[in-house]
Amino acid sequence: MGEWPEDLELQVPDQVFVNDNLGASEIAARDEFNRTNPPVRGLVAHDLYNIDLIKRPWRNNKGLWFELAENRVLSTHLAELAPGGNSVRHRHTTEAVIYIVKGSGYSIINYEGQPEERVEWQEGSLFSPPVWAWHQHFNADPDETARYLAIQDTGLVRHMRFHQIERHPTQLKIGDGTDYVVDAVPAAEAEAVLADPGD
């Protein structure tokens, strides 16, 4: 009891274990955000539909983290996409389950060099981008915000020193330090730029 089965085969993509790409890493920005905007603590968080969120420039959206019940493995954050807006294309070494709190839209998900998959979502949907797969979230409503709750195993992965969050190469950083903006190019346009950089 409590042991791994002998026939267990973990399907972990090789690209999860990569060298740090400091220019594309989001970890410093996230840590600074949580120092200046402490996570919600306690046993419960109410009204995720309306709770005030704070601008997260590196992700091109608003957000807020939660540290409920002093959990050390699970990390939870709520994010909001502007009307007709999108997040930055990114990937991470954590598992993530995403619940749509409000709105409707879609996410583009793919592993490096693989075809993109479009996942449609709406209020009440639950989905999960695979570990280290590129993904980007899009709000399909031009007038209303969309919100999603992401629950990840960040504490465990950080403790094991495998934690990485990387922006896609097409998601250009503008500025220095952790106070910057990004050019949040939608996935299809980003791939076209990489394929044909022009003159």
Side-chain angles (χ1 to χ4, degrees):
M1 191 167 173
E3 295 181 16
W4 293 103
E6 288 185 27
D7 61 344
L8 178 68
E9 291 186 32
L10 295 176
Q11 301 296 319
V12 180
D14 291 338
Q15 64 262 44
V16 168
F17 304 103
V18 298
N19 295 326
D20 288 341
N21 181 354
L22 296 179
S25 178
E26 293 188 354
I27 293 176
R30 173 187 164 151
D31 289 348
E32 178 61 25
F33 179 91
N34 281 322
R35 277 191 289 278
T36 58
N37 306 285
V40 173
R41 294 185 169 89
L43 297 179
V44 63
H46 293 285
D47 199 9
L48 299 181
Y49 202 85
N50 294 305
I51 192 171
D52 288 334
L53 302 182
I54 302 156
K55 186 177 178 183
R56 301 190 308 167
W58 73 94
R59 190 53 71 84
N60 198 45
N61 62 15
K62 291 183 177 181
L64 184 64
W65 268 268
F66 301 86
E67 291 181 359
L68 302 181
E70 298 185 25
N71 288 328
R72 294 295 174 245
V73 171
L74 296 179
S75 173
T76 306
H77 71 275
L78 181 66
E80 180 177 276
L81 299 169
N86 55 271
S87 71
V88 168
R89 194 167 189 216
H90 65 286
R91 61 184 177 179
H92 38 74
T93 53
T94 55
E95 293 181 353
V97 173
I98 299 174
Y99 175 76
I100 305 303
V101 174
K102 172 185 176 184
S104 63
Y106 61 95
S107 296
I108 301 295
I109 302 171
N110 73 298
Y111 278 117
E112 189 76 41
Q114 298 295 315
E116 294 176 350
E117 182 175 348
R118 181 177 168 131
V119 174
E120 302 283 342
W121 45 257
Q122 62 189 8
E123 187 171 322
S125 296
L126 181 70
F127 72 99
S128 182
V131 169
W132 208 236
W134 292 113
H135 55 284
Q136 186 174 20
H137 311 301
F138 295 82
N139 180 356
D141 193 318
D143 302 312
E144 297 291 331
T145 59
R147 286 188 171 198
Y148 61 87
L149 184 71
I151 302 172
Q152 298 171 269
D153 59 347
T154 307
L156 176 62
V157 176
R158 281 192 104 155
H159 178 73
M160 296 172 66
R161 300 179 189 260
F162 291 143
H163 189 221
Q164 285 194 69
I165 311 168
E166 181 181 21
R167 272 187 322 281
H168 193 269
T170 59
Q171 310 295 282
L172 305 176
K173 176 179 173 180
I174 304 167
D176 294 322
T178 58
D179 184 24
Y180 58 82
V181 296
V182 294
D183 184 5
V185 180
E189 292 176 28
E191 293 304 317
V193 169
L194 283 179
D196 181 19
D199 296 327

